[in-house]
Amino acid sequence: MMPKFRFQIDDGVENDDAWLDLPDLDAARMEAARFMGDMVRDSAVSLWQAGVLQLTAMDENGLYLFEITVMSMDAPALSKTRRS
């Protein structure tokens, strides 16, 4: 029986959970990285609005295993008024 991994996803708008049966922790890390890549591509507007996209991975007992966080931030210079 393969271990179950829980991916908790927070895109700044809503939280969602995904349960996956994967062979081991390395497979969970690789799947999480691919999943986050897809989320960044598919939720680009949300990423810029919320400023963060986060995936937290846990085992089936709720033990925290790892986290991937992608942040977006405008440079301070963009918020200053330009002088004419």
Side-chain angles (χ1 to χ4, degrees):
M1 181 185 220
M2 283 198 277
K4 272 192 174 306
F5 294 90
R6 176 183 175 201
F7 290 175
Q8 186 175 32
I9 300 99
D10 180 0
D11 66 0
V13 177
E14 60 182 278
N15 291 326
D16 200 9
D17 287 348
W19 286 92
L20 301 167
D21 294 320
L22 297 166
D24 55 29
L25 183 58
D26 286 336
R29 286 182 178 132
M30 296 304 108
E31 184 61 28
R34 284 193 279 287
F35 188 87
M36 284 297 284
D38 291 344
M39 286 290 295
V40 168
R41 182 189 65 233
D42 297 341
S43 301
V45 172
S46 295
L47 175 60
W48 282 104
Q49 289 173 346
V52 67
L53 178 61
Q54 184 172 345
L55 180 148
T56 303
M58 292 165 267
D59 69 9
E60 56 195 304
N61 298 312
L63 178 67
Y64 174 89
L65 300 172
F66 60 86
E67 183 177 292
I68 299 175
T69 303
V70 177
M71 296 180 71
S72 63
M73 182 183 338
D74 285 327
L78 291 178
S79 64
K80 294 183 180 181
T81 305
R82 292 184 181 189
R83 296 182 188 195
S84 305

